[in-house]
Amino acid sequence: MITWSTRRNVRILLVGDAGVGKTSLILSLVSEEFPPDVPAKAEEITIPADVTPEKVPTNIVDFCSSDIDDAESGNLQLEMQKSDVICIVYAVDNEHTLERITSYWLPLIRDYNSTDLKKPIVLVGNKVDLVDYSTIDMLLSIMEDFPEVESCVECSAKTLHNISEMFYYAQKAVLHPTGPLYIMENQYLTKNAEIALTKIFKILDLDGDGLLSDFELNHFQRRCFNLPLQPQILDEVKVLLMKNLPDGILNDNVTLKGFLYLHCLFIQRGRPETTWMVLRRFGYDENLQISKEFLNPPMKIPPGSSTELSHRGFQFLTLLFEKGDLDRDGALSPEEFSRLFSACPTPPFSTDIKRTVETNSNGWPTLHGWICRWSLMAYTEVNKTLEYLAYLGFTIHENESQTTAIHVTREKRLDLAKRQSSRSVYICHVIGSKNAGKTTLCRGLIFADMKNITLKDLRGSNKYCINTVQVYGQEKFLIMRDIKSEDPLQPSEINCDVVCLVYDVNDAKSFEYVAKTYIKYYAESKIPVLIVGNKSDMPKVRQDYLLQPTEFSEKYKILSPEFFTVKQNNKELYTKLATMAAFPRYQAAWILFYKHRLVQLWETAHINHFGLIPDDTLLWLSKAGLGLAVITFAGFLLMKVIQPTPARLTR
């Protein structure tokens, strides 16, 4: 089970009047017997982690009473600053030492501790073997007046009674302090504790109905405490809530008020460790803030690798969407969206995402758009993705670090060596001169029908669009990134999986920017490039450049220009871009040309089974002028293409 605690050790300081037995307590703990000769002061000792109940190394410091005059010189203040918890020891048979707790020690400690650095205090009554009464009742009133007093205990250094318990309480005061959780005067949780536990409640509410069912409570119990919740105990909890808090139970389920009330009971009954265990399981630190270690666990991403959602990531986010879709209409309304991210500081992305992913007619994200948006964030902002997966409860539901929701791909150099990529997400940089229509081309990826799209839909600062395309029958995510027309391009603007260089066919000066960009940045690059003539519904004009687009493509041996118009929105363009990204080392021109040519032949033949291209088909293609290239390509298409019969291929 994953636990998240930043505490590495505990330092305990013992103070008190002369003769109360501070040194004897320390020596009795170490030797497990009362020392016959007690020195004036015990040396600082360290208790190994494996012999402490909390499995944390513990240092114990004895402040000698003979040093009391040195307190004014700062020695005591220095020790207090270094310590995590202070034990004030008094002798139960000496009423004066008890009175000195409130008249001297507690005020002194308050003076030495600022509000922000207030240390927990444990009151320790020693020499209980000498009396037949208890002083605990007197200490309870002290605890009410001094909230920093976490607990009190009576013990005996001579008989070893409660010696181990005394140091356990001191450890507990540090590791599971009551102060950050509970206000004694109000008999209720602190504001920060209430906020943290409310967020936890929302994560535990798997179906989003605002209640914790028996199943959800059992899931919570197993994940936090690694134990099932016995039916009898569950019934007792419900009876307790119905008796003390009428609105703590609704329809036999636990409400948020009931959940918070249970944690109040844990603390009131001296079990703050139960609440702390829950908080730390969800990544909260001693200040009731989610720790950085929890939000961003270490994750190695080699240069040239990218990050995608894993199968577990897809599963969790799908369940999360279904939880948020309360009306079951297949989309997240702004209210549902806001409620789904109510456990987060802010939503990870805006509700207005219709310019980034596919949405329904209201502009609300569907499940497909939701997964696309998370895939985009996993690719471009993996640390932010890990952070929000933590906020949303991935670690509690999956019982593993959120790094398992991310898949790190192999390095791109290995993709190039193997001549194909196993990635699921590719990014295409769309580059062109101003007003070439880059934004329109990007948005064409997410709008099924561009005819009814207004200029308002095309405007906006969103530089990314993402959707899925089919590459040889496999679903891939394609990201289109709109690159501003600025020179020089930054390395992050150059490097990508495929480049789309866009020019305006109706603007004579548009292609020059494309040509110069290719020569400067991509002529010697291994990144596939596709030139696109945009606004192809407009009259084509001759470009004011020494080579026309087709001539330029032939000279540099790249794929012939494609043409695009918002009015027709040819989706095949995006398939070509994704295919070029998936097979970066193949000559895009003949791959895509012959893929298109073979598809035409196969559609004519009406063939529906998989296999290898026959030899005489290869012969026919070789007669077309690319025999060797097609043989290589045919080997690549093994088990990926349709097997036509020779007779049906004959024209």
Side-chain angles (χ1 to χ4, degrees):
M1 182 177 68
I2 299 174
T3 57
W4 302 90
S5 177
T6 57
R7 175 63 59 181
R8 295 293 177 263
N9 67 317
V10 173
R11 187 176 179 88
I12 302 173
L13 173 65
L14 270 64
V15 300
D17 293 342
V20 295
K22 301 185 301 297
T23 306
S24 298
L25 288 171
I26 297 173
L27 297 178
S28 293
L29 174 72
V30 175
S31 62
E32 297 185 348
E33 62 179 4
F34 184 70
D37 298 313
V38 180
K41 180 181 179 180
E43 296 296 326
E44 179 179 333
I45 66 167
T46 299
I47 303 176
D50 57 356
V51 298
T52 65
E54 297 292 340
K55 305 302 179 185
V56 176
T58 302
N59 298 85
I60 303 176
V61 179
D62 181 11
F63 193 83
C64 181
S65 299
S66 61
D67 297 335
I68 206 69
D69 293 335
D70 294 334
E72 302 302 328
S73 65
N75 286 353
L76 180 58
Q77 183 177 8
L78 179 62
E79 287 295 343
M80 287 181 183
Q81 290 174 346
K82 291 165 57 179
S83 299
D84 301 304
V85 57
I86 301 169
C87 293
I88 303 177
V89 183
Y90 69 97
V92 295
D93 65 334
N94 186 335
E95 187 175 344
H96 176 67
T97 62
L98 178 58
E99 293 173 351
R100 287 260 296 172
I101 292 175
T102 54
S103 65
Y104 179 77
W105 287 108
L106 285 171
L108 179 66
I109 293 171
R110 276 192 170 181
D111 288 342
Y112 284 166
N113 284 294
S114 67
T115 303
D116 295 336
L117 299 175
K118 190 173 291 184
K119 303 291 177 66
I121 295 171
V122 177
L123 304 181
V124 180
N126 190 22
K127 306 185 180 182
V128 72
D129 59 293
L130 300 179
V131 299
D132 56 2
Y133 55 83
S134 174
T135 59
I136 292 295
D137 290 341
M138 303 177 194
L139 300 180
L140 295 178
S141 61
I142 297 177
M143 294 178 69
E144 292 178 0
D145 296 333
F146 294 86
E148 59 267 40
V149 177
E150 286 281 333
S151 58
C152 53
V153 61
E154 291 182 333
C155 58
S156 170
K158 188 172 185 178
T159 65
L160 307 184
H161 175 68
N162 275 352
I163 294 294
S164 297
E165 286 78 2
M166 168 213 159
F167 289 100
Y168 167 71
Y169 283 128
Q171 266 194 341
K172 182 178 173 181
V174 177
L175 301 175
H176 314 299
T178 302
L181 303 180
Y182 195 75
I183 303 173
M184 292 293 181
E185 297 90 334
N186 300 339
Q187 296 288 292
Y188 195 66
L189 299 169
T190 63
K191 188 65 176 178
N192 286 342
E194 183 180 359
I195 291 172
L197 290 170
T198 299
K199 290 182 177 180
I200 290 172
F201 178 90
K202 292 176 179 179
I203 293 172
L204 298 175
D205 181 16
L206 300 177
D207 56 11
D209 64 352
L211 301 168
L212 295 185
S213 64
D214 291 357
F215 173 81
E216 290 165 339
L217 287 169
N218 250 306
H219 184 267
F220 162 59
Q221 177 77 10
R222 287 180 179 276
R223 288 293 189 254
C224 283
F225 306 105
N226 207 28
L227 290 170
L229 189 60
Q230 298 300 324
Q232 180 182 352
I233 296 177
L234 183 56
D235 291 339
E236 290 174 357
V237 167
K238 291 180 179 179
V239 169
L240 178 66
L241 284 175
M242 286 187 288
K243 181 179 178 181
N244 295 282
L245 191 70
D247 53 355
I249 296 290
L250 179 63
N251 300 328
D252 201 37
N253 296 323
V254 176
T255 65
L256 173 59
K257 286 186 177 180
F259 182 73
L260 297 177
Y261 179 75
L262 287 175
H263 284 282
C264 285
L265 288 181
F266 291 144
I267 298 167
Q268 289 170 1
R269 296 179 179 182
R271 292 176 53 197
E273 64 271 19
T274 302
T275 299
W276 274 113
M277 189 175 293
V278 173
L279 289 165
R280 288 184 175 127
R281 183 65 180 84
F282 284 82
Y284 286 89
D285 60 18
E286 286 80 359
N287 300 314
L288 293 180
Q289 300 297 319
I290 300 182
S291 68
K292 293 181 179 179
E293 293 85 355
F294 180 78
L295 293 176
N296 292 118
M299 188 173 190
K300 186 178 180 180
I301 304 174
S305 295
S306 62
T307 48
E308 307 171 355
L309 292 174
S310 68
H311 179 65
R312 288 200 171 190
F314 282 122
Q315 280 186 320
F316 175 76
L317 291 168
T318 299
L319 292 174
L320 195 65
F321 180 91
E322 293 171 349
K323 171 184 175 179
D325 185 17
L326 298 176
D327 56 11
R328 301 293 183 263
D329 66 345
L332 295 178
S333 68
E335 294 76 18
E336 291 171 335
F337 187 93
S338 178
R339 180 171 179 169
L340 190 56
F341 289 113
S342 60
C344 307
T346 58
F349 41 80
S350 170
T351 55
D352 184 19
I353 59 175
K354 62 183 179 182
R355 297 177 182 86
T356 304
V357 299
E358 282 187 348
T359 60
N360 69 0
S361 58
N362 294 319
W364 302 346
T366 60
L367 175 59
H368 177 76
W370 168 261
I371 293 297
C372 282
R373 187 61 185 83
W374 277 97
S375 295
L376 172 61
M377 193 162 74
Y379 186 95
T380 59
E381 300 175 284
V382 66
N383 287 334
K384 183 178 179 181
T385 305
L386 292 173
E387 179 180 334
Y388 275 86
L389 286 171
Y391 286 135
L392 294 166
F394 181 89
T395 58
I396 193 70
H397 294 312
E398 298 295 325
N399 211 30
E400 291 183 340
S401 166
Q402 65 269 37
T403 55
T404 60
I406 301 297
H407 168 64
V408 179
T409 67
R410 70 187 181 193
E411 297 177 48
K412 199 167 185 178
R413 61 182 179 82
L414 298 177
D415 287 344
L416 291 171
K418 293 181 178 294
R419 301 188 178 186
Q420 70 179 68
S421 170
S422 60
R423 303 183 184 196
S424 297
V425 183
Y426 301 111
I427 188 165
C428 171
H429 285 187
V430 182
I431 303 173
S433 60
K434 188 176 181 180
N435 298 323
K438 302 189 303 295
T439 302
T440 303
L441 191 145
C442 290
R443 301 282 164 80
L445 177 66
I446 60 174
F447 291 127
D449 184 4
M450 298 285 284
K451 295 178 181 178
N452 299 321
I453 300 303
T454 65
L455 289 176
K456 182 180 178 181
D457 295 320
L458 297 176
R459 290 172 183 153
S461 59
N462 304 57
K463 62 181 179 180
Y464 293 107
C465 294
I466 181 172
N467 207 344
T468 54
V469 296
Q470 293 290 322
V471 176
Y472 292 113
Q474 294 184 343
E475 187 175 72
K476 304 290 186 181
F477 291 90
L478 178 63
I479 301 171
M480 305 289 284
R481 181 183 175 186
D482 188 349
I483 303 296
K484 292 183 179 180
S485 305
E486 297 178 355
D487 200 46
L489 296 179
Q490 300 302 310
S492 62
E493 297 173 323
I494 299 170
N495 296 322
C496 57
D497 297 309
V498 60
V499 179
C500 181
L501 297 177
V502 185
Y503 73 98
D504 182 352
V505 300
N506 192 239
D507 181 356
K509 298 185 179 300
S510 182
F511 182 72
E512 182 179 5
Y513 180 87
V514 164
K516 290 183 177 180
T517 298
Y518 177 83
I519 293 171
K520 184 174 183 179
Y521 298 108
Y522 296 105
E524 303 298 325
S525 169
K526 295 180 180 179
I527 300 174
V529 176
L530 179 65
I531 295 175
V532 174
N534 201 8
K535 307 179 185 180
S536 61
D537 56 307
M538 302 287 288
K540 296 181 178 63
V541 299
R542 184 173 181 81
Q543 296 295 312
D544 292 342
Y545 188 69
L546 57 100
L547 293 174
Q548 295 304 296
T550 301
E551 297 170 336
F552 184 88
S553 300
E554 290 175 353
K555 177 180 178 179
Y556 288 97
K557 296 181 175 57
I558 59 176
L559 190 66
S560 297
E562 291 287 327
F563 295 96
F564 179 86
T565 172
V566 65
K567 295 182 178 180
Q568 295 179 358
N569 192 11
N570 181 11
K571 293 290 186 180
E572 289 184 7
L573 171 66
Y574 306 106
T575 301
K576 289 183 179 181
L577 290 169
T579 304
M580 293 169 69
F583 304 102
R585 281 289 295 273
Y586 282 97
Q587 289 294 328
W590 60 262
I591 288 182
L592 294 171
F593 174 82
Y594 278 99
K595 173 181 178 292
H596 177 68
R597 186 68 183 131
L598 287 172
V599 167
Q600 285 184 324
L601 293 170
W602 298 333
E603 287 178 346
T604 303
H606 302 292
I607 303 301
N608 296 315
H609 57 281
F610 290 94
L612 177 64
I613 300 178
D615 292 339
D616 44 352
T617 301
L618 294 177
L619 178 61
W620 182 86
L621 291 172
S622 66
K623 289 180 179 179
L626 288 171
L628 181 59
V630 174
I631 291 172
T632 306
F633 184 49
F636 161 72
L637 288 179
L638 178 62
M639 300 306 293
K640 290 183 177 291
V641 298
I642 300 169
Q643 181 181 9
T645 61
R648 291 188 178 184
L649 281 176
T650 304
R651 287 191 171 183

